Amino acid sequence: MAYAITQTCCNDASCVSVCPVNCIHPTPDEPEFGTTDMLYIDPRACIDCGACADACPVDAVFPVDRLRGPDTVFGDLNRDWFRDHPNDHAWGAPSFPRSLPGELGALRIAVVGTGPSAGYTAQELLRSTSAEITMIDRLPVTGGLLRHGVAPDHQSTKRIAESFASVFHDPRLRMHLNVEIGTDVTHQELAAHHHAVVYAVGAAADRRLGIPGEDLPGSLPATAFVGWYNAEPTVPADAVELSAERVVVVGNGNVAVDIARILLTDPDRLAATDIADHALAALRRSRVREVVLLARRGPEQAAWTRAEFLALRQLPGVEVVVEDHPEVRAAIGVAGTRTQSPAGPGTQAGPDSRAALLAGLPLVPYDGAAEPGPGRRIVLRFLSAPAELSGDGRVEALTVERTTLAADGRVAGTGAKDVLRVGLVVRSIGHRGVPLPGLPFDERAGTVAHRDGRVVDPATGRPLPGTYVVGWAKRGPSGGIGANRACARETVGALLDDAAARALPVPGPGRRDFERLVRHRRPDAVGLRELRAVDRAERERGEAEGRPRVKLATVPELLAAGRRR
């Protein structure tokens, strides 16, 4: 019986490298890899060896005959992908690990950040070189978006952090947490102590709607909401109020889907996860019964992945409906001309159709000025753009205007307006990078200015010696966790090319000099021993409550736990 890849696929392609018959696609060398929702196993070529299941860092691969409940759909999704993407599974050109000439000695490399892109970067460097790594993070705990971005009910996705555990504990790696570059230590000081510096700092800002009333209380960016339920130390416990019956989430990507799902999931189910205690308590008191996902464009342009949306349709006790609209009905009908797929009973669709995923869902008229009906439901409202937020001291209403689309799917114009009664609006329309002190920034792209991972001077186009970027700060906020693996490999490859060409600056002070500098500037910096103490404390609290961990939610709590080592 063949294997199939399921919802939690992280796209890091660990499975691809161990498959003896090359039946997992798209591979990192294929053009679809950068845009695919997930990877797929061809059931006709799979030899049922199970190597992919053993290699998967997020436990996403199972024999098809063991799939149960909502997961049964993935057997068909894997098979159907190869119907539209036929592949002979021929091997490409072999690739070999990079290495450096021995006479160069051990490089000292700083990696700023401890999220997935930083973890993959350090992993690649430790495997291919004898480098000594310094990892730095502004928070007193590691993980980045793995800890503070992945939804708490996606515990299997968080297992990828275990693959980084050996990286963080490697004897060639030193860790300085609770240290901010640009405030505690400058880029110039960091560069003076290392041959190279790699920035893996993500995209910390949210895109704004640019409408009146956006800054009223009750209007939040998705980063604040996600940080709130994930115990991000910079987000206050009272950042979210759930006293209204209707919430509008502007956007229809995976983060928007996560927010809608968390808002309406039975809190007793969330109690078995690592959700923040304050968020769990608020959700138990919540009055929210309806979540509207508002999208400026149509269903075919939806940004969620198929796996995430299919899971949303299976949320117990929650009805998912689509606002009836002629263009939406037409989009679903056009998608329905394709061959049979598992999106729902009677669905006619190919695996690449977003609109087809809506087939079988109720198409209903929607009146946002009225009170929500009985029960809990998610309303998918397309071709609707937010125009204004209003209220007496906090958000009470959202004015929405209808949009029309051009042939290429872009918004061509707006028309009639209506008003939704709403008590909380969350904008989830994408992230944006923020300028880093001492580095050039591309304002248009919202990324660090670079070429193939080398940070460059925009005025001259010349690389800044020994300075690199990886992850969302490099390519913008696109791609899931696993996409950072190939991204890190490209940046590390550029760094090693420069090292082999003797193009890296030679640091003057030694490693211990940098450690003394950090201790002087930031006496409460957190190292590996303190990090282990925090991890131990959270796991012990979780064990007492039958949970994977109970997160410490503030910087003082994290620092105190670290001192109790």
Side-chain angles (χ1 to χ4, degrees):
M1 177 58 68
Y3 279 70
I5 299 175
T6 63
Q7 176 189 349
T8 55
C9 177
C10 70
N11 282 22
D12 87 340
S14 296
C15 54
V16 172
S17 60
V18 300
C19 178
V21 293
N22 195 33
C23 73
I24 304 175
H25 296 270
T27 70
D29 298 324
E30 294 170 339
E32 299 93 344
F33 184 80
T35 58
T36 186
D37 290 348
M38 55 185 287
L39 306 184
Y40 303 89
I41 297 174
D42 187 347
R44 297 168 302 174
C46 177
I47 61 172
D48 196 26
C49 68
C52 52
D54 293 336
C56 179
V58 293
D59 197 23
V61 186
F62 298 93
V64 171
D65 61 352
R66 286 180 51 198
L67 298 176
R68 297 291 183 269
D71 284 344
T72 57
V73 70
F74 289 100
D76 293 331
L77 280 179
N78 279 250
R79 180 199 65 219
D80 289 351
W81 192 85
F82 288 95
R83 179 198 61 201
D84 285 7
H85 303 82
N87 197 297
D88 61 7
H89 309 303
W91 298 101
S95 60
F96 300 96
R98 292 290 309 274
S99 60
L100 290 174
E103 65 268 19
L104 287 179
L107 299 176
R108 295 204 303 275
I109 300 173
V111 179
V112 182
T114 58
S117 61
Y120 282 121
T121 298
Q123 190 176 71
E124 187 77 12
L125 286 166
L126 290 170
R127 287 176 176 175
S128 58
T129 74
S130 60
E132 297 177 340
I133 311 296
T134 301
M135 295 195 81
I136 301 166
D137 200 296
R138 65 184 179 85
L139 295 177
V141 66
T142 59
L145 285 182
L146 268 179
R147 178 180 172 100
H148 299 125
V150 176
D153 57 346
H154 284 356
Q155 288 297 305
S156 58
T157 302
K158 297 189 179 193
R159 289 178 192 158
I160 200 168
E162 296 173 7
S163 67
F164 297 140
S166 60
V167 173
F168 295 156
H169 289 76
D170 191 286
R172 287 188 282 139
L173 188 146
R174 296 287 185 273
M175 192 171 290
H176 302 290
L177 309 178
N178 202 36
V179 175
E180 187 162 9
I181 301 303
T183 301
D184 302 312
V185 178
T186 67
H187 165 71
Q188 290 74 17
E189 290 170 327
L190 190 60
H193 289 79
H194 298 86
H195 291 86
V197 182
V198 183
Y199 285 88
V201 294
D206 283 86
R207 295 186 183 276
R208 292 179 61 83
L209 298 172
I211 62 174
E214 184 171 5
D215 295 319
L216 277 172
S219 170
L220 295 174
T223 49
F225 196 96
V226 171
W228 172 77
Y229 64 59
N230 272 325
E232 212 276 7
T234 64
V235 179
D238 61 356
V240 176
E241 182 181 326
L242 302 177
S243 59
E245 294 185 335
R246 177 181 291 124
V247 174
V248 171
V249 182
V250 182
N252 61 8
N254 281 350
V255 174
V257 168
D258 283 346
I259 292 169
R261 191 181 63 251
I262 293 298
L263 279 168
L264 294 180
T265 295
D266 184 343
D268 286 342
R269 296 184 66 194
L270 295 174
T273 73
D274 64 351
I275 190 170
D277 279 352
H278 58 252
L280 182 61
L283 289 165
R284 290 193 185 281
R285 302 188 303 267
S286 171
R287 298 182 64 229
V288 176
R289 291 188 291 118
E290 180 180 282
V291 178
V292 180
L293 291 179
L294 198 70
R296 298 172 68 243
R297 300 195 292 169
E300 201 56 67
Q301 290 81 35
W304 56 56
T305 60
R306 296 163 191 80
E308 286 296 321
F309 186 74
L310 290 171
L312 189 70
R313 291 187 57 161
Q314 303 291 335
L315 193 59
V318 178
E319 183 184 24
V320 181
V321 303
V322 182
E323 183 197 29
D324 198 1
H325 185 282
E327 291 186 36
V328 173
R329 186 181 290 269
I332 298 173
V334 170
T337 63
R338 304 194 60 181
T339 54
Q340 183 71 30
S341 96
T347 299
Q348 302 286 319
D352 293 325
S353 172
R354 292 294 197 274
L357 294 175
L358 306 182
L361 293 176
L363 285 163
V364 301
Y366 182 69
D367 181 5
E371 295 290 339
R376 292 177 294 157
R377 71 173 185 171
I378 294 171
V379 180
L380 306 178
R381 179 167 177 169
F382 296 96
L383 302 171
S384 300
E388 182 179 2
L389 289 165
S390 57
D392 185 11
R394 65 171 294 110
V395 170
E396 296 174 347
L398 170 64
T399 300
V400 173
E401 53 190 3
R402 286 295 181 186
T403 61
T404 56
L405 302 184
D408 61 1
R410 298 184 181 184
V411 174
T414 58
K417 296 183 179 181
D418 64 311
V419 178
L420 281 63
R421 295 177 58 182
V422 60
L424 176 65
V425 174
V426 183
R427 65 175 185 270
S428 182
I429 55 173
H431 294 73
R432 179 177 172 82
V434 296
L436 300 172
L439 295 186
F441 188 71
D442 184 338
E443 288 288 351
R444 183 183 59 82
T447 61
V448 175
H450 76 95
R451 185 170 59 249
D452 299 327
R454 295 178 178 90
V455 177
V456 299
D457 182 342
T460 64
R462 295 176 182 172
L464 273 60
T467 310
Y468 304 85
V469 65
V470 69
W472 280 7
K474 168 187 172 185
R475 65 182 191 274
S478 62
I481 291 170
N484 291 296
R485 188 181 187 191
C487 181
R489 185 167 293 145
E490 178 187 62
T491 293
V492 170
L495 189 159
L496 297 185
D497 285 343
D498 293 345
R502 273 60 172 190
L504 296 181
V506 178
R511 192 175 199 182
R512 290 185 178 179
D513 294 305
F514 183 72
E515 292 175 354
R516 283 193 289 268
L517 174 66
V518 170
R519 286 196 299 269
H520 173 70
R521 297 279 180 81
R522 196 71 195 232
D524 57 353
V526 171
L528 181 59
R529 286 186 300 173
E530 292 88 350
L531 180 65
R532 285 172 171 166
V534 169
D535 182 64
R536 190 163 53 247
E538 291 186 338
R539 290 182 183 275
E540 287 173 354
R541 294 175 69 194
E543 185 177 358
E545 299 183 19
R547 302 168 62 184
R549 67 174 64 236
V550 174
K551 289 179 178 175
L552 300 167
T554 67
V555 169
E557 287 177 313
L558 289 163
L559 295 179
R563 288 192 291 268
R564 289 196 294 268
R565 61 182 184 274

